[in-house]
Amino acid sequence: MKLWGGRFQKETDSVVNDFNSSIQFDFRLYEEDINGSIAHAFMLGETGIIEKAEAVKIIEGLERILQDIKDGKVEFSAENEDIHMNVERLLTERIGDTGKRLHTARSRNDQVALDFRMYIKKEIISVTGILLSLEKALCKKARQHLKTVMPGYTHMQRAQPTTYAHYLMAYAEMFRRDIGRLCDCYDRMDELPLGSGALSATTYPIDRDMVRNALGFKRITANSVDGVSDRDFAIELASALSIIMMHLSRFSEEIILWCSWEFKFLELDDAFSTGSSIMPQKKNPDVAELTRGKTGRVYGSLITLLTIMKSLPLAYNKDMQEDKEAVFDAVDTVKQCLNVFIPMFETLTVNKDRMRMAASGGFINATDCADYLTKKGVPFRDAYTIVGRLVNTCVRTGETLETLTMKDYRAVSEAFGDDIYEALSLRTCVNGRNVPGGPAEDEVTSQIESIEEFAGSFEKKDEKENIH
Ligand code: ARG
């Protein structure tokens, strides 16, 4: 019979059992579920809501179940619907009637809200850790490429000079914000919902703060209806994960493009690329393409969650059971992508010569040429027009700004002098951009140091937490 079978005169139809049950996926919450139950049972004993000896018996039983699940000795059943009732049923089978006291002053509604929050908190820490190793990989490569000049693009047209290091640190900033979003989400969701009961809390003299403390939550939820109805934390996580994937996807897109024969800026390591079944010459960037492709699944999870919640009346509704697979899939996908993307990135070869060649060919120093005139007193708008004319001539004659003669320059403006060639050199163009945030070597070095410090601050935090 079902745990809730008392009110019913018929067995549940088997198609309903299959449809209704979530154990196939929510078994993943077993550790959170059991730890939550242990804290709850402990509090029930301490407050005298159940006998202390009974609490001890329940806790010991739960600990044994946890170990047996870890050892693969437990089989869950769809008949028992979800992880919460599977564990409770097992407990009662093992320790007898005392097990039936565990669910005193609790509902599956606050129980599932608790388990899900605990799981998400754990996964936020895990994803953050992987993002921090990506940050370190970016800093390491950037340090090697402070002088690797390449063209920066706008509209996919060569625009202005930058370095590969400068460019990589742009991604480091995106991932820094991603980590910030995960931390914000963590802080906001760090509230214990247990004690909300089904929706209207409970008449038992529970001690929510004791449970909060035992389970390491910062606060308790302030309203019991909200405590069981809220899934904002799952939506915020899916949103943060979607943004991470958007960044990874842009990064992947460029790796794909830059590995093409047309660019050849980068080459993937053999171990991180794949071949074609028919074309013997191919070396494909499958990892980057799959990362780009899997972005869609994570966005899908976000939309799933938003849509599940949009019309739900308060408080709990069974629709909310659909939240788990969306979150599990989003978390799994992001971790899987990052865990392959990072070593793929670390092992790729940078073709400095190709980058420099591209930087030399596309008039990316045209702005610098106009700036040169401006610094000689020509108003910027006039300087812009003069250089535009020069570029136009070069395009027709197949020259570049560097190959024009002094005569060509003097023909369009008296302000040009011999120092124009030095002003146009890529080294000057990059290192002259030495305002904060710019591509000059010293500036990028500060950007790297800032990210390294940011990543280091998490390690310090970890150490502190371990001491306590
Ligand atoms: N399996 C359910 C879920 O994931 C647990 C909560 C069920 N509560 C209920 N009243 N049916 O949402």
mmCIF file of all heavy atoms in Angstrom, residues 39-77:
data_model
loop_
_atom_site.group_PDB
_atom_site.id
_atom_site.type_symbol
_atom_site.label_atom_id
_atom_site.label_comp_id
_atom_site.label_asym_id
_atom_site.label_seq_id
_atom_site.Cartn_x
_atom_site.Cartn_y
_atom_site.Cartn_z
ATOM 1 N N ALA A 39 18.842 15.721 10.086
ATOM 2 C CA ALA A 39 18.783 16.983 10.840
ATOM 3 C C ALA A 39 17.381 17.175 11.438
ATOM 4 O O ALA A 39 17.220 17.624 12.585
ATOM 5 C CB ALA A 39 19.140 18.150 9.934
ATOM 6 N N HIS A 40 16.370 16.817 10.634
ATOM 7 C CA HIS A 40 14.980 16.959 11.104
ATOM 8 C C HIS A 40 14.725 16.033 12.298
ATOM 9 O O HIS A 40 14.177 16.460 13.325
ATOM 10 C CB HIS A 40 14.033 16.643 9.938
ATOM 11 C CG HIS A 40 12.584 16.748 10.279
ATOM 12 N ND1 HIS A 40 11.971 17.960 10.578
ATOM 13 C CD2 HIS A 40 11.606 15.798 10.375
ATOM 14 C CE1 HIS A 40 10.687 17.740 10.840
ATOM 15 N NE2 HIS A 40 10.445 16.439 10.732
ATOM 16 N N ALA A 41 15.159 14.794 12.183
ATOM 17 C CA ALA A 41 14.941 13.823 13.261
ATOM 18 C C ALA A 41 15.662 14.263 14.533
ATOM 19 O O ALA A 41 15.119 14.162 15.647
ATOM 20 C CB ALA A 41 15.434 12.442 12.826
ATOM 21 N N PHE A 42 16.869 14.763 14.347
ATOM 22 C CA PHE A 42 17.648 15.241 15.501
ATOM 23 C C PHE A 42 16.870 16.338 16.237
ATOM 24 O O PHE A 42 16.704 16.304 17.453
ATOM 25 C CB PHE A 42 19.003 15.764 15.008
ATOM 26 C CG PHE A 42 19.825 16.412 16.072
ATOM 27 C CD1 PHE A 42 20.477 15.645 17.040
ATOM 28 C CD2 PHE A 42 19.958 17.799 16.140
ATOM 29 C CE1 PHE A 42 21.249 16.242 18.033
ATOM 30 C CE2 PHE A 42 20.717 18.411 17.131
ATOM 31 C CZ PHE A 42 21.361 17.626 18.081
ATOM 32 N N MET A 43 16.351 17.290 15.436
ATOM 33 C CA MET A 43 15.591 18.403 16.024
ATOM 34 C C MET A 43 14.315 17.880 16.708
ATOM 35 O O MET A 43 13.975 18.325 17.818
ATOM 36 C CB MET A 43 15.256 19.418 14.916
ATOM 37 C CG MET A 43 14.440 20.625 15.327
ATOM 38 S SD MET A 43 12.679 20.320 15.416
ATOM 39 C CE MET A 43 12.241 20.104 13.707
ATOM 40 N N LEU A 44 13.637 16.905 16.103
ATOM 41 C CA LEU A 44 12.418 16.347 16.715
ATOM 42 C C LEU A 44 12.745 15.763 18.086
ATOM 43 O O LEU A 44 11.975 15.910 19.045
ATOM 44 C CB LEU A 44 11.800 15.272 15.813
ATOM 45 C CG LEU A 44 11.171 15.721 14.488
ATOM 46 C CD1 LEU A 44 10.648 14.497 13.706
ATOM 47 C CD2 LEU A 44 10.033 16.733 14.696
ATOM 48 N N GLY A 45 13.901 15.109 18.183
ATOM 49 C CA GLY A 45 14.326 14.514 19.456
ATOM 50 C C GLY A 45 14.683 15.583 20.479
ATOM 51 O O GLY A 45 14.271 15.521 21.640
ATOM 52 N N GLU A 46 15.447 16.566 20.037
ATOM 53 C CA GLU A 46 15.904 17.620 20.964
ATOM 54 C C GLU A 46 14.746 18.442 21.510
ATOM 55 O O GLU A 46 14.782 18.907 22.646
ATOM 56 C CB GLU A 46 16.874 18.571 20.246
ATOM 57 C CG GLU A 46 18.219 17.971 19.901
ATOM 58 C CD GLU A 46 19.017 17.529 21.119
ATOM 59 O OE1 GLU A 46 19.260 18.382 22.002
ATOM 60 O OE2 GLU A 46 19.378 16.330 21.193
ATOM 61 N N THR A 47 13.721 18.658 20.694
ATOM 62 C CA THR A 47 12.599 19.492 21.133
ATOM 63 C C THR A 47 11.550 18.671 21.890
ATOM 64 O O THR A 47 10.551 19.212 22.353
ATOM 65 C CB THR A 47 11.901 20.148 19.925
ATOM 66 O OG1 THR A 47 11.631 19.118 18.956
ATOM 67 C CG2 THR A 47 12.756 21.221 19.291
ATOM 68 N N GLY A 48 11.783 17.349 21.947
ATOM 69 C CA GLY A 48 10.824 16.492 22.649
ATOM 70 C C GLY A 48 9.570 16.184 21.837
ATOM 71 O O GLY A 48 8.598 15.648 22.360
ATOM 72 N N ILE A 49 9.575 16.516 20.557
ATOM 73 C CA ILE A 49 8.400 16.191 19.731
ATOM 74 C C ILE A 49 8.328 14.679 19.542
ATOM 75 O O ILE A 49 7.256 14.082 19.511
ATOM 76 C CB ILE A 49 8.467 16.942 18.375
ATOM 77 C CG1 ILE A 49 8.403 18.450 18.616
ATOM 78 C CG2 ILE A 49 7.339 16.498 17.427
ATOM 79 C CD1 ILE A 49 8.678 19.317 17.395
ATOM 80 N N ILE A 50 9.486 14.032 19.453
ATOM 81 C CA ILE A 50 9.535 12.565 19.578
ATOM 82 C C ILE A 50 10.561 12.246 20.672
ATOM 83 O O ILE A 50 11.339 13.110 21.076
ATOM 84 C CB ILE A 50 9.902 11.846 18.240
ATOM 85 C CG1 ILE A 50 11.318 12.211 17.788
ATOM 86 C CG2 ILE A 50 8.896 12.162 17.150
ATOM 87 C CD1 ILE A 50 11.801 11.412 16.554
ATOM 88 N N GLU A 51 10.553 10.980 21.119
ATOM 89 C CA GLU A 51 11.523 10.567 22.142
ATOM 90 C C GLU A 51 12.932 10.656 21.576
ATOM 91 O O GLU A 51 13.147 10.315 20.401
ATOM 92 C CB GLU A 51 11.277 9.091 22.528
ATOM 93 C CG GLU A 51 9.910 8.801 23.080
ATOM 94 C CD GLU A 51 9.813 9.171 24.557
ATOM 95 O OE1 GLU A 51 10.823 8.988 25.266
ATOM 96 O OE2 GLU A 51 8.743 9.667 24.968
ATOM 97 N N LYS A 52 13.883 11.029 22.419
ATOM 98 C CA LYS A 52 15.280 11.104 21.961
ATOM 99 C C LYS A 52 15.766 9.753 21.442
ATOM 100 O O LYS A 52 16.457 9.666 20.428
ATOM 101 C CB LYS A 52 16.184 11.569 23.095
ATOM 102 C CG LYS A 52 16.480 13.040 23.002
ATOM 103 C CD LYS A 52 17.675 13.427 23.840
ATOM 104 C CE LYS A 52 17.792 14.937 23.759
ATOM 105 N NZ LYS A 52 18.550 15.522 24.820
ATOM 106 N N ALA A 53 15.394 8.695 22.155
ATOM 107 C CA ALA A 53 15.847 7.352 21.755
ATOM 108 C C ALA A 53 15.317 7.003 20.364
ATOM 109 O O ALA A 53 15.993 6.350 19.562
ATOM 110 C CB ALA A 53 15.381 6.323 22.774
ATOM 111 N N GLU A 54 14.104 7.483 20.094
ATOM 112 C CA GLU A 54 13.538 7.209 18.762
ATOM 113 C C GLU A 54 14.313 7.971 17.696
ATOM 114 O O GLU A 54 14.594 7.445 16.616
ATOM 115 C CB GLU A 54 12.065 7.631 18.728
ATOM 116 C CG GLU A 54 11.162 6.723 19.524
ATOM 117 C CD GLU A 54 9.727 7.241 19.594
ATOM 118 O OE1 GLU A 54 9.527 8.475 19.767
ATOM 119 O OE2 GLU A 54 8.819 6.417 19.433
ATOM 120 N N ALA A 55 14.664 9.207 18.039
ATOM 121 C CA ALA A 55 15.435 10.020 17.088
ATOM 122 C C ALA A 55 16.753 9.326 16.770
ATOM 123 O O ALA A 55 17.156 9.232 15.605
ATOM 124 C CB ALA A 55 15.679 11.413 17.652
ATOM 125 N N VAL A 56 17.378 8.805 17.810
ATOM 126 C CA VAL A 56 18.671 8.122 17.599
ATOM 127 C C VAL A 56 18.482 6.921 16.666
ATOM 128 O O VAL A 56 19.257 6.697 15.737
ATOM 129 C CB VAL A 56 19.264 7.675 18.963
ATOM 130 C CG1 VAL A 56 20.474 6.772 18.762
ATOM 131 C CG2 VAL A 56 19.637 8.902 19.794
ATOM 132 N N LYS A 57 17.442 6.179 16.925
ATOM 133 C CA LYS A 57 17.171 4.989 16.113
ATOM 134 C C LYS A 57 16.939 5.384 14.635
ATOM 135 O O LYS A 57 17.449 4.748 13.711
ATOM 136 C CB LYS A 57 15.915 4.300 16.671
ATOM 137 C CG LYS A 57 15.817 2.844 16.308
ATOM 138 C CD LYS A 57 14.742 2.170 17.152
ATOM 139 C CE LYS A 57 14.387 0.823 16.537
ATOM 140 N NZ LYS A 57 13.198 0.232 17.108
ATOM 141 N N ILE A 58 16.176 6.453 14.463
ATOM 142 C CA ILE A 58 15.894 6.932 13.097
ATOM 143 C C ILE A 58 17.197 7.356 12.416
ATOM 144 O O ILE A 58 17.482 6.982 11.280
ATOM 145 C CB ILE A 58 14.891 8.109 13.122
ATOM 146 C CG1 ILE A 58 13.505 7.604 13.536
ATOM 147 C CG2 ILE A 58 14.828 8.816 11.766
ATOM 148 C CD1 ILE A 58 12.464 8.708 13.743
ATOM 149 N N ILE A 59 17.989 8.125 13.150
ATOM 150 C CA ILE A 59 19.235 8.647 12.564
ATOM 151 C C ILE A 59 20.164 7.499 12.171
ATOM 152 O O ILE A 59 20.719 7.470 11.070
ATOM 153 C CB ILE A 59 19.928 9.642 13.531
ATOM 154 C CG1 ILE A 59 19.066 10.911 13.647
ATOM 155 C CG2 ILE A 59 21.343 9.981 13.065
ATOM 156 C CD1 ILE A 59 19.461 11.865 14.739
ATOM 157 N N GLU A 60 20.291 6.517 13.069
ATOM 158 C CA GLU A 60 21.167 5.372 12.750
ATOM 159 C C GLU A 60 20.654 4.627 11.526
ATOM 160 O O GLU A 60 21.422 4.213 10.664
ATOM 161 C CB GLU A 60 21.275 4.426 13.949
ATOM 162 C CG GLU A 60 22.199 4.997 15.012
ATOM 163 C CD GLU A 60 22.167 4.190 16.321
ATOM 164 O OE1 GLU A 60 21.403 3.180 16.407
ATOM 165 O OE2 GLU A 60 22.886 4.604 17.247
ATOM 166 N N GLY A 61 19.349 4.465 11.481
ATOM 167 C CA GLY A 61 18.746 3.778 10.327
ATOM 168 C C GLY A 61 19.028 4.535 9.035
ATOM 169 O O GLY A 61 19.404 3.943 8.015
ATOM 170 N N LEU A 62 18.871 5.859 9.094
ATOM 171 C CA LEU A 62 19.098 6.681 7.889
ATOM 172 C C LEU A 62 20.559 6.612 7.457
ATOM 173 O O LEU A 62 20.870 6.535 6.272
ATOM 174 C CB LEU A 62 18.688 8.137 8.163
ATOM 175 C CG LEU A 62 17.178 8.393 8.242
ATOM 176 C CD1 LEU A 62 16.909 9.800 8.795
ATOM 177 C CD2 LEU A 62 16.512 8.228 6.871
ATOM 178 N N GLU A 63 21.441 6.611 8.453
ATOM 179 C CA GLU A 63 22.876 6.545 8.109
ATOM 180 C C GLU A 63 23.207 5.238 7.398
ATOM 181 O O GLU A 63 23.981 5.210 6.441
ATOM 182 C CB GLU A 63 23.742 6.719 9.369
ATOM 183 C CG GLU A 63 23.884 8.197 9.733
ATOM 184 C CD GLU A 63 24.455 8.451 11.121
ATOM 185 O OE1 GLU A 63 24.584 7.475 11.915
ATOM 186 O OE2 GLU A 63 24.755 9.629 11.409
ATOM 187 N N ARG A 64 22.586 4.173 7.870
ATOM 188 C CA ARG A 64 22.843 2.870 7.226
ATOM 189 C C ARG A 64 22.271 2.845 5.810
ATOM 190 O O ARG A 64 22.887 2.335 4.878
ATOM 191 C CB ARG A 64 22.262 1.723 8.068
ATOM 192 C CG ARG A 64 23.354 1.073 8.933
ATOM 193 C CD ARG A 64 22.824 -0.092 9.729
ATOM 194 N NE ARG A 64 22.094 0.391 10.915
ATOM 195 C CZ ARG A 64 20.819 0.118 11.184
ATOM 196 N NH1 ARG A 64 20.104 -0.645 10.364
ATOM 197 N NH2 ARG A 64 20.250 0.626 12.268
ATOM 198 N N ILE A 65 21.098 3.439 5.651
ATOM 199 C CA ILE A 65 20.498 3.483 4.305
ATOM 200 C C ILE A 65 21.403 4.272 3.365
ATOM 201 O O ILE A 65 21.672 3.847 2.233
ATOM 202 C CB ILE A 65 19.082 4.107 4.353
ATOM 203 C CG1 ILE A 65 18.136 3.170 5.114
ATOM 204 C CG2 ILE A 65 18.556 4.383 2.953
ATOM 205 C CD1 ILE A 65 16.761 3.761 5.389
ATOM 206 N N LEU A 66 21.928 5.380 3.864
ATOM 207 C CA LEU A 66 22.811 6.206 3.026
ATOM 208 C C LEU A 66 24.011 5.390 2.559
ATOM 209 O O LEU A 66 24.364 5.379 1.375
ATOM 210 C CB LEU A 66 23.278 7.439 3.823
ATOM 211 C CG LEU A 66 24.236 8.382 3.104
ATOM 212 C CD1 LEU A 66 23.623 8.940 1.834
ATOM 213 C CD2 LEU A 66 24.659 9.542 4.020
ATOM 214 N N GLN A 67 24.606 4.669 3.500
ATOM 215 C CA GLN A 67 25.772 3.861 3.136
ATOM 216 C C GLN A 67 25.382 2.790 2.116
ATOM 217 O O GLN A 67 26.089 2.578 1.125
ATOM 218 C CB GLN A 67 26.374 3.225 4.405
ATOM 219 C CG GLN A 67 27.780 2.666 4.202
ATOM 220 C CD GLN A 67 28.728 3.690 3.555
ATOM 221 O OE1 GLN A 67 28.867 4.819 4.023
ATOM 222 N NE2 GLN A 67 29.364 3.311 2.450
ATOM 223 N N ASP A 68 24.246 2.142 2.345
ATOM 224 C CA ASP A 68 23.832 1.070 1.426
ATOM 225 C C ASP A 68 23.542 1.614 0.030
ATOM 226 O O ASP A 68 23.842 0.954 -0.971
ATOM 227 C CB ASP A 68 22.592 0.341 1.972
ATOM 228 C CG ASP A 68 22.970 -0.549 3.154
ATOM 229 O OD1 ASP A 68 24.189 -0.700 3.414
ATOM 230 O OD2 ASP A 68 22.055 -1.070 3.819
ATOM 231 N N ILE A 69 22.970 2.819 -0.036
ATOM 232 C CA ILE A 69 22.714 3.399 -1.374
ATOM 233 C C ILE A 69 24.058 3.648 -2.052
ATOM 234 O O ILE A 69 24.261 3.308 -3.217
ATOM 235 C CB ILE A 69 21.906 4.711 -1.275
ATOM 236 C CG1 ILE A 69 20.518 4.456 -0.671
ATOM 237 C CG2 ILE A 69 21.752 5.349 -2.666
ATOM 238 C CD1 ILE A 69 19.672 5.711 -0.446
ATOM 239 N N LYS A 70 24.986 4.208 -1.281
ATOM 240 C CA LYS A 70 26.315 4.486 -1.863
ATOM 241 C C LYS A 70 26.975 3.195 -2.342
ATOM 242 O O LYS A 70 27.686 3.196 -3.341
ATOM 243 C CB LYS A 70 27.212 5.177 -0.828
ATOM 244 C CG LYS A 70 26.859 6.638 -0.639
ATOM 245 C CD LYS A 70 27.846 7.331 0.264
ATOM 246 C CE LYS A 70 27.507 8.808 0.351
ATOM 247 N NZ LYS A 70 28.210 9.478 1.448
ATOM 248 N N ASP A 71 26.759 2.110 -1.608
ATOM 249 C CA ASP A 71 27.368 0.834 -1.993
ATOM 250 C C ASP A 71 26.573 0.108 -3.084
ATOM 251 O O ASP A 71 26.883 -1.030 -3.428
ATOM 252 C CB ASP A 71 27.480 -0.093 -0.763
ATOM 253 C CG ASP A 71 28.436 0.478 0.274
ATOM 254 O OD1 ASP A 71 29.237 1.371 -0.080
ATOM 255 O OD2 ASP A 71 28.384 0.040 1.449
ATOM 256 N N GLY A 72 25.542 0.745 -3.578
ATOM 257 C CA GLY A 72 24.747 0.152 -4.657
ATOM 258 C C GLY A 72 23.871 -1.000 -4.186
ATOM 259 O O GLY A 72 23.468 -1.849 -4.974
ATOM 260 N N LYS A 73 23.556 -1.038 -2.888
ATOM 261 C CA LYS A 73 22.782 -2.176 -2.362
ATOM 262 C C LYS A 73 21.277 -1.920 -2.315
ATOM 263 O O LYS A 73 20.526 -2.763 -1.856
ATOM 264 C CB LYS A 73 23.268 -2.489 -0.938
ATOM 265 C CG LYS A 73 24.667 -3.085 -0.893
ATOM 266 C CD LYS A 73 24.946 -3.560 0.527
ATOM 267 C CE LYS A 73 26.428 -3.792 0.759
ATOM 268 N NZ LYS A 73 26.816 -3.464 2.145
ATOM 269 N N VAL A 74 20.856 -0.713 -2.736
ATOM 270 C CA VAL A 74 19.430 -0.390 -2.599
ATOM 271 C C VAL A 74 18.778 -0.275 -3.966
ATOM 272 O O VAL A 74 19.341 0.318 -4.884
ATOM 273 C CB VAL A 74 19.265 0.948 -1.831
ATOM 274 C CG1 VAL A 74 17.819 1.419 -1.850
ATOM 275 C CG2 VAL A 74 19.765 0.809 -0.398
ATOM 276 N N GLU A 75 17.604 -0.907 -4.076
ATOM 277 C CA GLU A 75 16.837 -0.715 -5.317
ATOM 278 C C GLU A 75 15.611 0.123 -5.009
ATOM 279 O O GLU A 75 14.837 -0.202 -4.111
ATOM 280 C CB GLU A 75 16.412 -2.072 -5.872
ATOM 281 C CG GLU A 75 17.195 -2.399 -7.132
ATOM 282 C CD GLU A 75 16.779 -3.717 -7.711
ATOM 283 O OE1 GLU A 75 15.569 -3.878 -7.978
ATOM 284 O OE2 GLU A 75 17.678 -4.579 -7.887
ATOM 285 N N PHE A 76 15.448 1.202 -5.763
ATOM 286 C CA PHE A 76 14.285 2.062 -5.541
ATOM 287 C C PHE A 76 13.110 1.543 -6.352
ATOM 288 O O PHE A 76 13.292 0.834 -7.330
ATOM 289 C CB PHE A 76 14.619 3.492 -5.972
ATOM 290 C CG PHE A 76 15.734 4.105 -5.186
ATOM 291 C CD1 PHE A 76 16.925 4.454 -5.809
ATOM 292 C CD2 PHE A 76 15.612 4.335 -3.831
ATOM 293 C CE1 PHE A 76 17.974 5.025 -5.091
ATOM 294 C CE2 PHE A 76 16.653 4.908 -3.096
ATOM 295 C CZ PHE A 76 17.831 5.251 -3.740
ATOM 296 N N SER A 77 11.889 1.919 -5.937
ATOM 297 C CA SER A 77 10.729 1.456 -6.699
ATOM 298 C C SER A 77 9.812 2.616 -7.091
ATOM 299 O O SER A 77 9.617 3.560 -6.314
ATOM 300 C CB SER A 77 9.935 0.439 -5.878
ATOM 301 O OG SER A 77 9.148 1.110 -4.927
#
